[in-house]
Amino acid sequence: MTNTFSERLAEVRNRIKAACEKSGRDPKSVRILAASKAQPPEKIREAAECGLTLFGENRVQEARQKIPLSPSGLEWHMIGHLQTNKAREATRLFQMTHSVDSPKLLEAIDAAGESAGRVARVCLEINVSGESSKFGLPPEAAPEIFKLANGLKHLEITGLMTIPPVAEDPDAVRHFFARLRALREQWRDLSGFALNELSMGMSHDFEVAIEEGATIVRLGTVLFGRRETQERPKAEG
Ligand SMILES: *Cc1c(COP(=O)(O)O)cnc(C)c1O
């Protein structure tokens, strides 16, 4: 790992560019979301000074404390599991939630959007691997969710998100990313939403995710270095 944040970011940008070249994509079509959980506001400031504008947090409580101490004008997304009773505060703190995985949560975010007087943007988290991961909707559950969402006035489903199992070789999870993209194509018409965003790819597999169509890669370790507490991304919002 190189030393400074700006060196690490330059390296990541090069890798993104290479993955885009390999797959015939425009690097501008891929956004870096800095997964800043466990990073103090000074680190967020440093990242912002290097030109990053999109940050993701996993817990409402942590975001509530950090966002006011961070530079203004940044875009914040909720990427961790969100509890229904925190939907209102999350909608106030975040411009988008990536991890919606239940009808109850969808309705709670719509209600929060209504009281905030805006349309709340979300991605549906899809469990494409079928592993007994705690979070994410099974693909079969999505059509019902789209039907429900079409009746909600303060909510827009902007895309899909997934977290495949961790694999030593990122190529081993390529088919999960491809599956998410295929589901997006399949659901574009029936859902009533454009589903432009594919939030997929983390530090160990972002290039493969980009080759398979990711529009947002959520990067923590590769930008900030190892977190003090190495946990699987499943923290409660
Ligand atoms: C922490 C986290 C990431 C980033 O993980 P890294 O492996 O450090 O890049 C991405 N997505 C979610 C949901 C996370 O919780």
Side-chain angles (χ1 to χ4, degrees):
M1 168 115 18
T2 39
N3 301 322
T4 68
F5 188 92
S6 96
E7 284 166 347
R8 292 195 294 269
L9 179 59
E11 165 83 24
V12 164
R13 289 216 157 108
N14 280 337
R15 289 170 63 186
I16 290 175
K17 200 161 152 257
C20 283
E21 266 160 22
K22 195 168 160 194
S23 52
R25 298 188 57 195
D26 178 354
K28 289 201 200 70
S29 66
V30 181
R31 281 205 294 167
I32 298 174
L33 175 148
S36 51
K37 60 173 177 260
Q39 304 300 336
E42 305 86 81
K43 292 281 180 189
I44 291 165
R45 182 172 304 275
E46 187 181 13
E49 278 165 3
C50 292
L52 291 182
T53 56
L54 176 57
F55 291 79
E57 287 286 332
N58 289 65
R59 294 166 187 263
V60 169
Q61 196 183 342
E62 188 176 333
R64 178 200 299 149
Q65 290 164 353
K66 275 159 61 175
I67 293 176
L69 300 173
S70 299
S72 56
L74 301 177
E75 183 173 347
W76 292 89
H77 290 183
M78 174 62 180
I79 60 173
H81 183 70
L82 181 61
Q83 291 167 314
T84 305
N85 62 6
K86 299 211 173 114
R88 190 173 292 259
E89 189 177 8
T91 302
R92 195 167 57 69
L93 290 168
F94 297 104
Q95 281 87 69
M96 182 153 112
T97 298
H98 288 223
S99 41
V100 171
D101 64 355
S102 78
K104 238 177 48 197
L105 182 56
L106 202 72
E107 288 177 316
I109 294 175
D110 176 67
E114 177 162 23
S115 41
R118 64 180 183 87
V119 172
R121 293 153 65 221
V122 306
C123 287
L124 291 186
E125 180 175 350
I126 308 293
N127 181 349
V128 285
S129 64
E131 71 161 6
S132 53
S133 102
K134 253 168 86 186
F135 303 121
L137 286 160
E140 315 82 78
E144 275 300 312
I145 297 265
F146 289 128
K147 203 182 290 173
L148 170 66
N150 274 303
L152 302 176
K153 293 202 170 58
H154 297 88
L155 182 124
E156 184 194 352
I157 301 181
T158 59
L160 308 176
M161 181 267 223
T162 199
I163 306 176
V166 176
E168 193 103 338
D169 173 8
D171 255 315
V173 293
R174 180 184 293 276
H175 66 288
F176 293 127
F177 295 137
R179 177 89 204 285
L180 194 71
R181 188 188 53 197
L183 288 169
R184 189 268 298 274
E185 303 312 322
Q186 182 186 327
W187 290 339
R188 259 190 162 145
D189 288 336
L190 109 126
S191 71
F193 297 99
L195 304 178
N196 287 326
E197 303 289 5
L198 286 179
S199 168
M200 58 189 197
M202 296 166 44
S203 290
H204 58 284
D205 56 17
F206 69 92
E207 287 139 309
V208 171
I210 289 170
E211 287 165 29
E212 297 301 329
T215 63
I216 301 180
V217 287
R218 308 179 311 271
L219 306 178
T221 322
V222 76
L223 290 174
F224 293 106
R226 261 177 82 89
R227 289 178 288 278
E228 308 272 290
T229 48
Q230 278 290 348
E231 45 175 344
R232 279 284 284 141
K234 59 176 184 330
E236 295 278 328

